[in-house]
Amino acid sequence: MSEYDGHQYVGIDLHRRRSVIVRQTDQGEQLSAVRIVNDPVALGLQIEQAGTRPDVVLEATYGWYWAADVLQAAGAQVHLAHPLGVKGFAYRRVKNDVRDAADLADLLRMGRLPESWIAPAETRELRELVRYRAKLVALRSGLKAQVHAVLAKAGVLIAVSDLFGVDGRAQLEQTALSGAYAQRVASLLKLIDILDAEEALFNRRIAERLRGHAGCGAIQWLPGIGPVLAAVLVAEIGDVHRFPSADRLCSWPD
């Protein structure tokens, strides 16, 4: 515990492997500046030095989840700085990690911090599933585009509306391609099948998470919104009650 017994403000400049932690008094006097290797135990020990329920700020940067969870478990009041709102740091002539952490603490202490919402763990897990499903679909789309490209090189046109539907796949497998072209298409089709199976698996996992979710059911009454888009909206919006009105939700920039 620090000898200073007043309320403390803590700024953390979080990086992938190491982070800098700056502690300040409620008047802005710097108490310490420490560099740690990213580790829950090391972070927890440093926050113990900040007294009871310190205000702690870190930027919504790469891999912030673990740090926010450790800080909250340690009893800190955690604030998440919006990256776009703190871009002003770039103007400084002197720029280093200690200054970045101190500036975050200053903004928080003076009530000028542009904050992002810290989604609870359950919402973050749902986002992980929904966003990963979207990545699987994007990867599969890239593979399908490669199949079309190979066929174009070989001068092959298969006249179906969906090359990867039942009829399209049947014709594709009967198409005579030679050498490297045939080998590449065969490989691409195997990868597409794997991604199809993985997408189906994550669709089931998402559906299980959202079974009985009132908001997910209600939003699907809107024209054009099915289970996939409903899951995206629920995951990204999170607790809709954090918005004071429908207009504020519709103007939400994140």
Side-chain angles (χ1 to χ4, degrees):
M1 183 71 69
S2 169
E3 293 182 1
Y4 173 76
D5 59 2
H7 188 73
Q8 295 190 29
Y9 291 85
V10 182
I12 301 178
D13 188 40
L14 188 69
H15 294 275
R16 291 194 181 191
R17 294 183 176 84
R18 293 177 175 80
S19 297
V20 170
I21 303 171
V22 171
R23 293 190 292 114
Q24 294 182 352
T25 69
D26 55 6
Q27 298 300 312
E29 178 185 353
Q30 184 168 303
L31 295 170
S32 70
V34 178
R35 188 181 300 272
I36 66 167
V37 174
N38 285 349
D39 174 78
V41 174
L43 179 57
L45 290 173
Q46 287 300 318
I47 294 304
E48 284 184 5
Q49 304 299 314
T52 304
R53 291 187 61 76
D55 278 288
V56 182
V57 53
L58 65 158
E59 192 175 342
T61 186
Y62 182 89
W64 62 268
Y65 285 10
W66 73 272
D69 289 341
V70 168
L71 293 167
Q72 289 177 333
Q77 302 178 79
V78 185
H79 305 265
L80 194 64
H82 195 298
L84 296 179
V86 295
K87 287 294 185 184
F89 291 175
Y91 77 90
R92 292 193 318 241
R93 193 172 281 183
V94 176
K95 188 179 189 305
N96 55 53
D97 295 342
V98 173
R99 284 293 303 274
D100 285 349
D103 281 351
L104 286 172
D106 282 335
L107 288 173
L108 176 60
R109 183 174 53 83
M110 294 185 292
R112 295 168 50 195
L113 183 73
E115 290 198 47
S116 290
W117 180 59
I118 299 178
E122 183 178 352
T123 300
R124 298 201 307 262
E125 287 196 7
L126 177 60
R127 286 178 175 178
E128 199 75 8
L129 296 176
V130 169
R131 291 173 181 178
Y132 182 60
R133 180 202 171 279
K135 288 185 181 296
L136 291 174
V137 172
L139 288 170
R140 185 180 60 193
S141 296
L143 296 176
K144 289 180 176 180
Q146 289 188 54
V147 173
H148 283 288
V150 173
L151 294 178
K153 291 175 183 177
V156 174
L157 177 62
I158 299 177
V160 291
S161 58
D162 181 8
L163 182 60
F164 303 96
V166 175
D167 291 340
R169 281 292 291 261
Q171 292 190 45
L172 184 57
E173 290 168 4
Q174 295 172 6
T175 299
L177 294 171
S178 61
Y181 302 105
Q183 293 167 9
R184 184 177 177 185
V185 168
S187 175
L188 287 167
L189 292 177
K190 288 179 184 178
L191 293 173
I192 289 169
D193 289 341
I194 292 170
L195 290 176
D196 281 342
E198 289 298 302
E199 187 208 352
L201 173 62
F202 277 85
N203 278 335
R204 291 194 297 272
R205 289 175 175 171
I206 293 167
E208 288 169 6
R209 290 254 178 175
L210 292 174
R211 183 174 291 115
H213 190 288
C216 187
I219 203 169
Q220 290 183 62
W221 284 95
L222 296 174
I225 296 183
V228 172
L229 186 53
V232 171
L233 291 170
V234 169
E236 298 303 334
I237 292 172
D239 181 8
V240 72
H241 298 102
R242 64 194 178 97
F243 297 97
S245 68
D247 288 342
R248 292 290 293 275
L249 169 61
C250 292
S251 65
W252 179 41
D254 291 347

